[in-house]
Amino acid sequence: MGSLHRVAMACGLSVLLVGVAHAEDWQVAKDEGGIKVSLSEVAGSKYKAYQGVTTIKAPLAKIKALQEDVAGACAWIHECKVQKLLKHEGDKSWTYTQFNTPWPVTPRDSILLVTSTVAPDGTLTRTLEGLPTYAPAEKGFVRVAQVEGFWKLVPKGDNLTEVTYQVHTEPGGSVPSFVANKFVVDAPFNTLKGLKERAEK
């Protein structure tokens, strides 16, 4: 989801973030290597929202560039098989991603609208909105039914950037609970770990 994620308006951000995933009462599920992953129940969904937070020793511009390399970002996004840019228009991008899934789950694909905004203090927010009907699912894949989330990159000075990655997904089809429960921890952790490693090189 790297470049998948474009942004949300700074001024409307507080309203937006309250709506994202309708999540509350975050509970820490993993805190390792400077990456903290928290989970939250979402009303009306059997899938938890996830939030990963880390501080990366790199300027925001470098992280932004890694995200905007849509195809290249697949290398550090958790279980990403293929990712491509479908369309770019102003502050909006449409991206297509195929994901690997463990047996017996059918592989997923998703289409995201990523909207990017920059606040006066330089904070970059990319809101993620799933567009499941934008194009037909590819053969052999189940289209992810819903994605709602954001990336938030906050410059902290001295070439430090605080990065938050929060998402709630309705994966579509049937997903065993043990797979879903593992995914919501592994996805933010491994994605941020991969991004952090590349940005700090």
Side-chain angles (χ1 to χ4, degrees), residues 53-56 60 63 152-156 160-164:
V53 181
T54 192
T55 297
I56 296 178
L60 187 150
I63 299 167
K152 186 176 180 183
L153 279 56
V154 183
K156 291 295 184 180
L160 293 176
T161 306
E162 182 184 80
V163 179
T164 301

Side-chain angles (χ1 to χ4, degrees), residues 182-197:
K182 188 171 188 302
F183 176 82
V184 292
V185 175
D186 290 351
F189 185 84
N190 292 337
T191 297
L192 286 172
K193 183 171 183 281
L195 176 60
K196 188 178 175 82
E197 287 170 351

Side-chain angles (χ1 to χ4, degrees), residues 4-6 92-95 110-115 126-132 146-150:
L4 321 181
H5 323 321
R6 247 92 234 209
K92 298 180 184 296
S93 293
W94 288 256
T95 62
S110 72
I111 296 177
L112 293 182
L113 169 60
V114 185
T115 306
R126 303 188 189 279
T127 56
L128 314 174
E129 177 190 356
L131 300 178
Q146 180 184 330
V147 180
E148 188 179 6
F150 64 89

Side-chain angles (χ1 to χ4, degrees), residues 61-84:
K62 185 173 183 182
I63 299 167
K64 177 176 178 282
L66 285 167
Q67 290 190 332
E68 290 175 352
D69 174 8
V70 176
C74 194
W76 51 265
I77 293 170
H78 180 63
E79 294 296 5
C80 180
K81 180 181 181 182
V82 175
Q83 183 164 274
K84 61 185 178 182

Side-chain angles (χ1 to χ4, degrees), residues 30-163:
K30 186 169 186 172
D31 191 348
E32 183 181 307
I35 300 170
K36 182 185 287 187
V37 174
S38 301
L39 304 178
S40 174
E41 301 287 346
V42 176
S45 175
K46 62 180 181 178
Y47 301 102
K48 293 181 180 179
Y50 58 78
Q51 179 190 81
V53 181
T54 192
T55 297
I56 296 178
K57 296 173 186 173
L60 187 150
K62 185 173 183 182
I63 299 167
K64 177 176 178 282
L66 285 167
Q67 290 190 332
E68 290 175 352
D69 174 8
V70 176
C74 194
W76 51 265
I77 293 170
H78 180 63
E79 294 296 5
C80 180
K81 180 181 181 182
V82 175
Q83 183 164 274
K84 61 185 178 182
L85 180 66
L86 299 177
K87 180 180 172 185
H88 178 76
E89 202 173 87
D91 63 356
K92 298 180 184 296
S93 293
W94 288 256
T95 62
Y96 173 77
T97 311
Q98 292 181 349
F99 295 97
N100 300 310
T101 52
W103 184 89
V105 180
T106 304
R108 266 32 182 195
D109 69 355
S110 72
I111 296 177
L112 293 182
L113 169 60
V114 185
T115 306
S116 302
T117 340
V118 181
D121 68 353
T123 294
L124 170 64
T125 308
R126 303 188 189 279
T127 56
L128 314 174
E129 177 190 356
L131 300 178
T133 61
Y134 186 86
E138 296 288 333
K139 186 175 181 181
F141 288 83
V142 171
R143 175 63 43 81
V144 174
Q146 180 184 330
V147 180
E148 188 179 6
F150 64 89
W151 283 89
K152 186 176 180 183
L153 279 56
V154 183
K156 291 295 184 180
D158 296 325
N159 284 339
L160 293 176
T161 306
E162 182 184 80
V163 179

